Amino acid sequence: MGLRSWVTGLLGDEGSAASTADDGDDGQLELTVDVERRAGSMLEHYGLSGEDARQIAEILAAELAREEGYARSMIADRVARELDMDDDRARTIVDTEVASIRNLARVRTFTEQAGEEVRFRWIDSVGQDDSPVCADVRAAIDERGPVSLGELRSIIREAAAEHPSGTPERADDLVPHEQCRHTVVRHVE
C-alpha cells in the first residue's frame, strides 16, 4: 500500500482532494510512458539531444510509476539535477509532459470504458490556465459540442497554429502549448 492509498484510506473521500494538489492524480489512471515515442517528441519540441530526451523520458516513466505517487516539482528537480539543466526549463518540460501523459491516460481510460464513440470536452481543471490557445480550443468545442478524439486533436492543432505560444506539432500528444493545465474530460449525456 502506497502512502497516498494509506492517507486516502484514513481520510476517506476528503483525502482524494488533498492528494491532487500538486500532481492532479486521481488515483484511477494508469500513467504509462512510451519512452521511445515520448523521447522523440521531446527531442524535436525542446531541441534536446537524443540522449537527454531519452533520459528525461526514462525519468518520467520511473517517477510516474512510483506506487507512492509523484510530485511534479520533485521530478523537475531530478531532471534539472541529473541533466544539469536550468530549473525553469526543467519545470516547463516536466509540467508539459506530465500533463500530456495524464491526458492521454484519461483518453485511454474513457475509451476503454465507453468505446470508440466516447466524446470529449477540454476544461481548465485548476483555474490557472488562461492561455489564448486553450480559450480557442474551449470555444470551438463549446460551439460544436462534445468532440471525438480526432476532432479534439484537430481543434488543438488549429488553435495552436493561430498563436505564437501554440504547439500545433504536439496536438497528437494533447499539448496545445507548453505548461498547459487543461484536462480532457469525458462528456456524459
Side-chain angles (χ1 to χ4, degrees), residues 1-6 8 23 25 27 29 61-70:
M1 175 187 300
L3 180 59
R4 174 171 297 146
S5 300
W6 181 77
T8 301
D23 58 30
D25 188 6
L29 295 178
E63 293 293 330
L64 296 178
R66 292 174 41 153
E67 183 180 327
E68 61 275 7
Y70 67 91

PDB file of all heavy atoms in Angstrom, residues 1-6 8 23 25 27 29 61-70:
ATOM      1  N   MET A   1       0.855  -1.174   0.000  1.00  0.00           N
ATOM      2  CA  MET A   1       0.000   0.000   0.000  1.00  0.00           C
ATOM      3  C   MET A   1       0.896   1.230   0.000  1.00  0.00           C
ATOM      4  O   MET A   1       1.772   1.365   0.840  1.00  0.00           O
ATOM      5  CB  MET A   1      -0.904  -0.021   1.230  1.00  0.00           C
ATOM      6  CG  MET A   1      -1.732   1.240   1.356  1.00  0.00           C
ATOM      7  SD  MET A   1      -2.681   1.411   2.881  1.00  0.00           S
ATOM      8  CE  MET A   1      -3.727   0.016   2.832  1.00  0.00           C
ATOM      9  N   GLY A   2       0.655   2.131  -0.920  1.00  0.00           N
ATOM     10  CA  GLY A   2       1.428   3.363  -1.001  1.00  0.00           C
ATOM     11  C   GLY A   2       0.946   4.386   0.011  1.00  0.00           C
ATOM     12  O   GLY A   2      -0.134   4.258   0.603  1.00  0.00           O
ATOM     13  N   LEU A   3       1.746   5.400   0.224  1.00  0.00           N
ATOM     14  CA  LEU A   3       1.406   6.466   1.164  1.00  0.00           C
ATOM     15  C   LEU A   3       0.086   7.123   0.797  1.00  0.00           C
ATOM     16  O   LEU A   3      -0.763   7.366   1.660  1.00  0.00           O
ATOM     17  CB  LEU A   3       2.528   7.502   1.206  1.00  0.00           C
ATOM     18  CG  LEU A   3       2.318   8.685   2.142  1.00  0.00           C
ATOM     19  CD1 LEU A   3       2.143   8.211   3.574  1.00  0.00           C
ATOM     20  CD2 LEU A   3       3.487   9.643   2.038  1.00  0.00           C
ATOM     21  N   ARG A   4      -0.114   7.389  -0.486  1.00  0.00           N
ATOM     22  CA  ARG A   4      -1.354   8.025  -0.927  1.00  0.00           C
ATOM     23  C   ARG A   4      -2.554   7.159  -0.587  1.00  0.00           C
ATOM     24  O   ARG A   4      -3.562   7.639  -0.092  1.00  0.00           O
ATOM     25  CB  ARG A   4      -1.317   8.305  -2.423  1.00  0.00           C
ATOM     26  CG  ARG A   4      -2.655   8.838  -2.935  1.00  0.00           C
ATOM     27  CD  ARG A   4      -2.599   9.312  -4.328  1.00  0.00           C
ATOM     28  NE  ARG A   4      -1.671  10.418  -4.331  1.00  0.00           N
ATOM     29  CZ  ARG A   4      -0.868  10.709  -5.328  1.00  0.00           C
ATOM     30  NH1 ARG A   4      -0.917  10.027  -6.409  1.00  0.00           N
ATOM     31  NH2 ARG A   4      -0.035  11.705  -5.257  1.00  0.00           N
ATOM     32  N   SER A   5      -2.458   5.857  -0.858  1.00  0.00           N
ATOM     33  CA  SER A   5      -3.559   4.955  -0.547  1.00  0.00           C
ATOM     34  C   SER A   5      -3.833   4.930   0.943  1.00  0.00           C
ATOM     35  O   SER A   5      -4.987   4.909   1.380  1.00  0.00           O
ATOM     36  CB  SER A   5      -3.236   3.540  -1.031  1.00  0.00           C
ATOM     37  OG  SER A   5      -3.039   3.526  -2.409  1.00  0.00           O
ATOM     38  N   TRP A   6      -2.789   4.916   1.743  1.00  0.00           N
ATOM     39  CA  TRP A   6      -2.938   4.889   3.193  1.00  0.00           C
ATOM     40  C   TRP A   6      -3.642   6.150   3.691  1.00  0.00           C
ATOM     41  O   TRP A   6      -4.584   6.072   4.467  1.00  0.00           O
ATOM     42  CB  TRP A   6      -1.558   4.737   3.835  1.00  0.00           C
ATOM     43  CG  TRP A   6      -1.595   4.683   5.332  1.00  0.00           C
ATOM     44  CD1 TRP A   6      -1.950   3.624   6.105  1.00  0.00           C
ATOM     45  CD2 TRP A   6      -1.257   5.744   6.217  1.00  0.00           C
ATOM     46  NE1 TRP A   6      -1.860   3.967   7.423  1.00  0.00           N
ATOM     47  CE2 TRP A   6      -1.442   5.268   7.526  1.00  0.00           C
ATOM     48  CE3 TRP A   6      -0.835   7.059   6.027  1.00  0.00           C
ATOM     49  CZ2 TRP A   6      -1.198   6.053   8.628  1.00  0.00           C
ATOM     50  CZ3 TRP A   6      -0.587   7.828   7.133  1.00  0.00           C
ATOM     51  CH2 TRP A   6      -0.779   7.334   8.418  1.00  0.00           C
ATOM     52  N   THR A   8      -5.496   8.264   1.916  1.00  0.00           N
ATOM     53  CA  THR A   8      -6.848   8.281   1.391  1.00  0.00           C
ATOM     54  C   THR A   8      -7.748   7.364   2.203  1.00  0.00           C
ATOM     55  O   THR A   8      -8.891   7.699   2.506  1.00  0.00           O
ATOM     56  CB  THR A   8      -6.871   7.880  -0.101  1.00  0.00           C
ATOM     57  OG1 THR A   8      -6.051   8.794  -0.815  1.00  0.00           O
ATOM     58  CG2 THR A   8      -8.277   7.894  -0.665  1.00  0.00           C
ATOM     59  N   ASP A  23       0.012  17.121  -8.137  1.00  0.00           N
ATOM     60  CA  ASP A  23       0.156  16.289  -9.316  1.00  0.00           C
ATOM     61  C   ASP A  23      -1.154  15.980 -10.014  1.00  0.00           C
ATOM     62  O   ASP A  23      -1.135  15.396 -11.083  1.00  0.00           O
ATOM     63  CB  ASP A  23       0.875  14.984  -8.962  1.00  0.00           C
ATOM     64  CG  ASP A  23       0.173  14.186  -7.883  1.00  0.00           C
ATOM     65  OD1 ASP A  23      -1.068  14.262  -7.785  1.00  0.00           O
ATOM     66  OD2 ASP A  23       0.849  13.484  -7.154  1.00  0.00           O
ATOM     67  N   ASP A  25      -3.269  13.753  -9.522  1.00  0.00           N
ATOM     68  CA  ASP A  25      -3.502  12.329  -9.670  1.00  0.00           C
ATOM     69  C   ASP A  25      -4.806  11.937  -9.009  1.00  0.00           C
ATOM     70  O   ASP A  25      -4.962  12.087  -7.812  1.00  0.00           O
ATOM     71  CB  ASP A  25      -2.335  11.556  -9.054  1.00  0.00           C
ATOM     72  CG  ASP A  25      -2.400  10.073  -9.345  1.00  0.00           C
ATOM     73  OD1 ASP A  25      -3.270   9.641 -10.120  1.00  0.00           O
ATOM     74  OD2 ASP A  25      -1.577   9.350  -8.793  1.00  0.00           O
ATOM     75  N   GLY A  27      -5.799   8.890  -8.894  1.00  0.00           N
ATOM     76  CA  GLY A  27      -5.624   7.535  -8.422  1.00  0.00           C
ATOM     77  C   GLY A  27      -6.148   6.449  -9.343  1.00  0.00           C
ATOM     78  O   GLY A  27      -5.892   5.282  -9.109  1.00  0.00           O
ATOM     79  N   LEU A  29      -5.844   6.470 -12.840  1.00  0.00           N
ATOM     80  CA  LEU A  29      -5.169   6.436 -14.133  1.00  0.00           C
ATOM     81  C   LEU A  29      -3.934   5.554 -14.104  1.00  0.00           C
ATOM     82  O   LEU A  29      -3.184   5.564 -13.139  1.00  0.00           O
ATOM     83  CB  LEU A  29      -4.750   7.846 -14.547  1.00  0.00           C
ATOM     84  CG  LEU A  29      -5.860   8.841 -14.811  1.00  0.00           C
ATOM     85  CD1 LEU A  29      -5.281  10.195 -15.149  1.00  0.00           C
ATOM     86  CD2 LEU A  29      -6.782   8.354 -15.908  1.00  0.00           C
ATOM     87  N   ALA A  61       9.029   8.045 -16.820  1.00  0.00           N
ATOM     88  CA  ALA A  61       8.471   6.697 -16.690  1.00  0.00           C
ATOM     89  C   ALA A  61       8.677   6.157 -15.280  1.00  0.00           C
ATOM     90  O   ALA A  61       7.743   5.603 -14.674  1.00  0.00           O
ATOM     91  CB  ALA A  61       9.105   5.769 -17.723  1.00  0.00           C
ATOM     92  N   ALA A  62       9.870   6.333 -14.741  1.00  0.00           N
ATOM     93  CA  ALA A  62      10.165   5.815 -13.401  1.00  0.00           C
ATOM     94  C   ALA A  62       9.374   6.554 -12.327  1.00  0.00           C
ATOM     95  O   ALA A  62       8.778   5.936 -11.438  1.00  0.00           O
ATOM     96  CB  ALA A  62      11.668   5.922 -13.123  1.00  0.00           C
ATOM     97  N   GLU A  63       9.346   7.858 -12.406  1.00  0.00           N
ATOM     98  CA  GLU A  63       8.684   8.660 -11.365  1.00  0.00           C
ATOM     99  C   GLU A  63       7.164   8.502 -11.388  1.00  0.00           C
ATOM    100  O   GLU A  63       6.531   8.449 -10.336  1.00  0.00           O
ATOM    101  CB  GLU A  63       9.058  10.134 -11.497  1.00  0.00           C
ATOM    102  CG  GLU A  63      10.522  10.417 -11.194  1.00  0.00           C
ATOM    103  CD  GLU A  63      10.910  10.190  -9.741  1.00  0.00           C
ATOM    104  OE1 GLU A  63      10.054  10.369  -8.848  1.00  0.00           O
ATOM    105  OE2 GLU A  63      12.064   9.815  -9.504  1.00  0.00           O
ATOM    106  N   LEU A  64       6.580   8.437 -12.562  1.00  0.00           N
ATOM    107  CA  LEU A  64       5.129   8.318 -12.653  1.00  0.00           C
ATOM    108  C   LEU A  64       4.636   6.927 -12.275  1.00  0.00           C
ATOM    109  O   LEU A  64       3.467   6.750 -11.963  1.00  0.00           O
ATOM    110  CB  LEU A  64       4.640   8.695 -14.049  1.00  0.00           C
ATOM    111  CG  LEU A  64       4.880  10.151 -14.448  1.00  0.00           C
ATOM    112  CD1 LEU A  64       4.407  10.405 -15.868  1.00  0.00           C
ATOM    113  CD2 LEU A  64       4.230  11.114 -13.484  1.00  0.00           C
ATOM    114  N   ALA A  65       5.529   5.947 -12.279  1.00  0.00           N
ATOM    115  CA  ALA A  65       5.166   4.575 -11.922  1.00  0.00           C
ATOM    116  C   ALA A  65       5.315   4.304 -10.426  1.00  0.00           C
ATOM    117  O   ALA A  65       4.952   3.219  -9.963  1.00  0.00           O
ATOM    118  CB  ALA A  65       6.030   3.593 -12.714  1.00  0.00           C
ATOM    119  N   ARG A  66       5.811   5.270  -9.680  1.00  0.00           N
ATOM    120  CA  ARG A  66       6.020   5.052  -8.242  1.00  0.00           C
ATOM    121  C   ARG A  66       4.701   4.782  -7.538  1.00  0.00           C
ATOM    122  O   ARG A  66       3.736   5.519  -7.725  1.00  0.00           O
ATOM    123  CB  ARG A  66       6.686   6.274  -7.626  1.00  0.00           C
ATOM    124  CG  ARG A  66       8.109   6.474  -8.102  1.00  0.00           C
ATOM    125  CD  ARG A  66       8.681   7.753  -7.599  1.00  0.00           C
ATOM    126  NE  ARG A  66       8.295   7.984  -6.211  1.00  0.00           N
ATOM    127  CZ  ARG A  66       8.986   8.690  -5.358  1.00  0.00           C
ATOM    128  NH1 ARG A  66      10.094   9.259  -5.726  1.00  0.00           N
ATOM    129  NH2 ARG A  66       8.565   8.858  -4.131  1.00  0.00           N
ATOM    130  N   GLU A  67       4.665   3.745  -6.734  1.00  0.00           N
ATOM    131  CA  GLU A  67       3.445   3.361  -6.019  1.00  0.00           C
ATOM    132  C   GLU A  67       2.961   4.458  -5.084  1.00  0.00           C
ATOM    133  O   GLU A  67       1.772   4.682  -4.928  1.00  0.00           O
ATOM    134  CB  GLU A  67       3.687   2.077  -5.221  1.00  0.00           C
ATOM    135  CG  GLU A  67       2.447   1.586  -4.514  1.00  0.00           C
ATOM    136  CD  GLU A  67       2.695   0.311  -3.739  1.00  0.00           C
ATOM    137  OE1 GLU A  67       3.514  -0.503  -4.164  1.00  0.00           O
ATOM    138  OE2 GLU A  67       2.037   0.151  -2.696  1.00  0.00           O
ATOM    139  N   GLU A  68       3.894   5.158  -4.470  1.00  0.00           N
ATOM    140  CA  GLU A  68       3.511   6.192  -3.504  1.00  0.00           C
ATOM    141  C   GLU A  68       3.127   7.508  -4.162  1.00  0.00           C
ATOM    142  O   GLU A  68       2.820   8.481  -3.481  1.00  0.00           O
ATOM    143  CB  GLU A  68       4.628   6.422  -2.479  1.00  0.00           C
ATOM    144  CG  GLU A  68       5.936   6.903  -3.057  1.00  0.00           C
ATOM    145  CD  GLU A  68       6.852   5.788  -3.570  1.00  0.00           C
ATOM    146  OE1 GLU A  68       6.468   4.611  -3.627  1.00  0.00           O
ATOM    147  OE2 GLU A  68       7.983   6.129  -3.950  1.00  0.00           O
ATOM    148  N   GLY A  69       3.116   7.559  -5.470  1.00  0.00           N
ATOM    149  CA  GLY A  69       2.725   8.765  -6.184  1.00  0.00           C
ATOM    150  C   GLY A  69       3.929   9.584  -6.605  1.00  0.00           C
ATOM    151  O   GLY A  69       5.076   9.169  -6.457  1.00  0.00           O
ATOM    152  N   TYR A  70       3.660  10.741  -7.110  1.00  0.00           N
ATOM    153  CA  TYR A  70       4.713  11.611  -7.632  1.00  0.00           C
ATOM    154  C   TYR A  70       4.364  13.053  -7.358  1.00  0.00           C
ATOM    155  O   TYR A  70       3.226  13.383  -7.053  1.00  0.00           O
ATOM    156  CB  TYR A  70       4.905  11.402  -9.138  1.00  0.00           C
ATOM    157  CG  TYR A  70       3.715  11.866  -9.952  1.00  0.00           C
ATOM    158  CD1 TYR A  70       3.662  13.171 -10.446  1.00  0.00           C
ATOM    159  CD2 TYR A  70       2.639  11.029 -10.216  1.00  0.00           C
ATOM    160  CE1 TYR A  70       2.570  13.619 -11.170  1.00  0.00           C
ATOM    161  CE2 TYR A  70       1.546  11.477 -10.945  1.00  0.00           C
ATOM    162  CZ  TYR A  70       1.519  12.761 -11.415  1.00  0.00           C
ATOM    163  OH  TYR A  70       0.441  13.201 -12.134  1.00  0.00           O
TER     164      TYR A  70
END
